[in-house]
Amino acid sequence: MSRGTAIEAFATQWLDTPDGQQIYLEQSGNPNGIPVIYCHGGPGGGSSPFHRQLFDAALYHIIIFDQRGCGLSRPALQLNNNSTQHLIADMEMIRQHLQIPNWVVAGGSWGSTLALAYGQTYPQYCLGFILRGIFLGREQDIDWLYRAGFGASQVFPDYYQDFLQPITHLVHLDVLQAYQLQLHHQDEAIRLEAALAWSIWESRIATLMPNEFSWGGEMDAQSALALALIEHHYFMHQCFFEPNQLLDNLHKISHLPCNIVHGRYDMICKAENAFSLASRWPDAQLHWVLDAGHSASETGIAKALYQASRAMADRLQTQARTAV
């Protein structure tokens, strides 16, 4: 099947977690193909039917889920029992439920973070990794996107000024602390204003060329609330990581193959993230997309991810034939 062809899910369901949440899970592609689980971005971004198209449906058994509190998972906007460790446990629950011995772990942006964290927890169940827009969950990565004087705010000062608008009266506080007050304010209108500003800031700078949000496009309130509340929750807790955790524990998975796709002009996840990861991973292939920013929907990114999935499938199939 060629890239860009619509792919329908052949199974959808909700899995109950031990703590009472329900995780949306869907399957598409070839049920006898190479299993791949895809981790969406955010955190709080939710999955999309578009994510199915990043894989060759003839070669892959495509498994996609919505992380806690977002997408079709329930309850919506749930922050309790919502941490990286909970999401890793959910992924392992999915693997056991589907009775999959091992799988390729894929993800973009925050999804790359979660994919790496899962892999370092359960390397024995991983065949390899397909990662896009690398985010390593370090304080410097959060600084780059949200704090003045670092990265994105220097490239897009006008958009950043709009991002700060809901917290201009809280200039004495750190930006994340100020947003904590607004996103959890008792006034619903204030909560929504903050969520929209937070989410639109990220959306505006996600592509190399101006997108609809650059020109004042409107954003769905529920999507904005999920993205802002859950992202803020994770970043206030340093993604529930120890400092430099993912790079320090890379030895647990660096014997496995990894295909990395990163936009050269990614303003959300800086290029250094991908370079540092690939430099420490002997079996990683880093592909720079020279005409793209961060978003998987950009043509160059989507094409490179599809090609990366084909390359991973070729490698795994060759290994399987050699082992026989």
Side-chain angles (χ1 to χ4, degrees), residues 32-206:
N32 298 313
I34 300 166
V36 58
I37 185 166
Y38 183 80
C39 304
H40 66 68
S47 65
S48 164
F50 164 74
H51 294 144
R52 305 168 195 159
Q53 299 177 31
L54 301 176
F55 306 94
D56 189 320
L59 297 175
Y60 281 97
H61 175 192
I62 306 163
I63 301 152
I64 294 176
F65 71 107
D66 283 332
Q67 297 161 30
R68 295 183 175 217
C70 68
L72 296 177
S73 289
R74 303 183 289 231
L77 310 181
Q78 179 64 260
L79 300 182
N80 293 330
N81 296 323
N82 195 340
S83 70
T84 306
Q85 291 70 38
H86 285 98
L87 301 186
I88 291 170
D90 293 342
M91 292 173 66
E92 181 56 15
M93 176 183 69
I94 291 168
R95 188 192 66 82
Q96 293 180 21
H97 172 75
L98 297 178
Q99 299 181 335
I100 292 174
N102 43 37
W103 52 10
V104 174
V105 185
S109 193
W110 158 258
S112 73
T113 321
L114 180 57
L116 290 168
Y118 172 86
Q120 292 176 6
T121 306
Y122 295 106
Q124 67 271 31
Y125 303 134
C126 300
L127 294 169
F129 300 83
I130 302 170
L131 307 176
R132 186 269 307 170
I134 303 301
F135 181 75
L136 296 174
R138 302 167 295 180
E139 192 68 22
Q140 62 173 276
D141 305 320
I142 298 169
D143 288 344
W144 170 274
L145 184 53
Y146 294 112
R147 293 189 169 100
F150 288 88
S153 67
Q154 301 293 290
V155 181
F156 299 100
D158 47 345
Y159 295 161
Y160 189 74
Q161 185 177 29
D162 292 341
F163 169 66
L164 295 179
Q165 187 59 38
I167 58 171
T168 51
H169 61 296
L170 300 169
V171 291
H172 59 290
L173 296 177
D174 173 74
V175 64
L176 293 187
Q177 293 174 332
Y179 259 99
Q180 170 78 15
L181 297 178
Q182 300 306 92
L183 288 171
H184 296 275
H185 199 280
Q186 61 182 3
D187 187 325
E188 181 181 3
I190 290 176
R191 294 198 302 271
L192 181 56
E193 178 193 24
L196 286 169
W198 178 286
S199 301
I200 289 173
W201 156 245
E202 183 170 330
S203 297
R204 276 176 155 181
I205 67 173

Side-chain angles (χ1 to χ4, degrees), residues 237-252:
H237 292 89
Q238 291 75 49
C239 298
F240 302 92
F241 288 149
E242 296 296 323
N244 212 47
Q245 178 175 319
L246 294 181
L247 290 180
D248 287 347
N249 288 287
L250 194 59
H251 62 278
K252 296 179 179 180

Side-chain angles (χ1 to χ4, degrees), residues 207-221:
T207 55
L208 175 60
M209 300 304 293
N211 57 53
E212 60 180 306
F213 298 107
S214 306
W215 308 115
E218 296 184 359
M219 177 172 289
D220 172 69

Side-chain angles (χ1 to χ4, degrees), residues 242-280:
E242 296 296 323
N244 212 47
Q245 178 175 319
L246 294 181
L247 290 180
D248 287 347
N249 288 287
L250 194 59
H251 62 278
K252 296 179 179 180
I253 54 174
S254 58
H255 61 288
L256 296 167
C258 180
N259 292 340
I260 302 170
V261 172
H262 202 99
R264 172 61 78 180
Y265 301 103
D266 191 331
M267 288 293 110
I268 291 179
C269 298
K270 52 191 171 66
E272 178 271 329
N273 301 351
F275 187 78
S276 293
L277 182 66
S279 297
R280 291 166 171 79

